[in-house]
Amino acid sequence: MNRRKKVLVVGGGGREHAIVSTLARGASAVDVYCAPGNGGIRREARAVDIGCDTPDDIERLASFARRESIDLTVVGPEAPLVLGIADRFEAEGLRIFGPPAAGARLEGSKCFLKEFLARRSIPTAEFRIFDRAEDALTHVETCPVPVVVKADGLAAGKGVIVARERREAVLAVEAIMVERRFGEAGRRIVVEECLAGSEVSLLVVTDGRSYIPLETAQDYKPAFDGGKGPNTGGMGSYSPYLSLGSPLVQQALERIIAPTIEGLRDEGIPFRGVLYAGLMLTSDGPKILEYNVRFGDPETQPILMRLGTDLLSLLEAAASEGGLERFTLEWDPRSAVCVVLASGGYPGSYEKGLAITGLEEAEQVAAPGEVKVFHAGTAAGAQGEIVTSGGRVLGVTALGETQEVARRRAYEAVAKIGFAGMRCRTDIAARS
Ligand code: AMP
Ligand code: GLY
């Protein structure tokens, strides 16, 4: 008889809640642990106190995994990957789903990414790299605009400035390289051509050799309806966006994903985990804007709602080289739409600790399993009630026979939920 497996999910946002609950509803018998988790995850997994809010304490996570004989650790956010959590776990013989630090540089360093893409002739925006502010300023004084200025390192999604005018590009270079708004992340910058087209998130799971695409999704980064306002971590998403069989997806797989995985292997980097391509569909075909080395948030919520295959089997197969050869995935043909409910003021400052009502009613607006409220910035209050604890608070996700039905259902569920200052976009998955 197969014994129950133990899985540790690292992180505590909406993406991790989706991973936790998809593991729990899969065919494998599994006990799920989550560090640090959040108010909603605590109800479906054993929350692990790692003594801090951020999941960056690799030593504590490794000793927990060893002590509890965890069979597989799944890493949600990029920060621990960039810090080398996978290297640390593998050195101890602990199985982990996520790339080593050398592979996480695809996300952790925009300069590394662009140099890698250039070396491998993978389609991307034309670029220049600068490590001196004077040189970067001279360049943006004369280069064509719009132009995109990117801090090299991780900057919580805020280190990319699409400058419509020259003045903005100059201010961006000054903020990143002179004022050091993002600290060391701004020691170097990429200045690149601004591409036009529509954006799509294409996520593949890879064992370092074979890869398997997940259904596509689109996310909404700007804070307000119509794409207005500052960029956020993502205000909503839906899946599918393009069908996996479409020529654009096939082109992206052949010209971008496959050469990336092969290039990493050639350069001695065993990349096991999720390779998430942020693509721009340009008139010259798909080009890569950025790679993330983990599941997307909030794309994971609608994508995993539609996954028909046992998630643990997929992650375990990917965690060993060659494990994905001949692996296939089944998908729910329905659409899924995720609407993010944010704290008033997000992505700026906001209040925390506000009581949330209507969570159960929201999941009851449709048949069981059709609506799921994924928690992101939530915590358990003093009486065990759920309160807000972050900028993006909930991801209300619904399935429907069509995108329109899924969208209507998601917003019906949203209407049941309340907390002081609650805000969401009203145009997620609306056909323009
Ligand atoms: P990144 O973190 O590199 O994905 O950048 C964040 C967002 O900035 C992307 O989702 C795009 O909307 C935009 N962006 C980044 N690079 C470019 C580019 N070269 N051309 C146009 N938009 C871009
Ligand atoms: N949705 C964008 C990200 O996960 O980075």
Side-chain angles (χ1 to χ4, degrees), residues 15 78 107 201 219-221 232-234 236 276 290 292 294-300 392:
R15 160 185 54 210
E78 62 278 12
E107 176 166 2
S201 307
D219 82 336
Y220 292 71
K221 288 195 174 107
T232 68
Y276 159 156
E290 63 161 346
N292 295 317
R294 46 160 179 88
F295 283 107
D297 192 348
E299 294 94 327
T300 303
R392 290 190 291 172

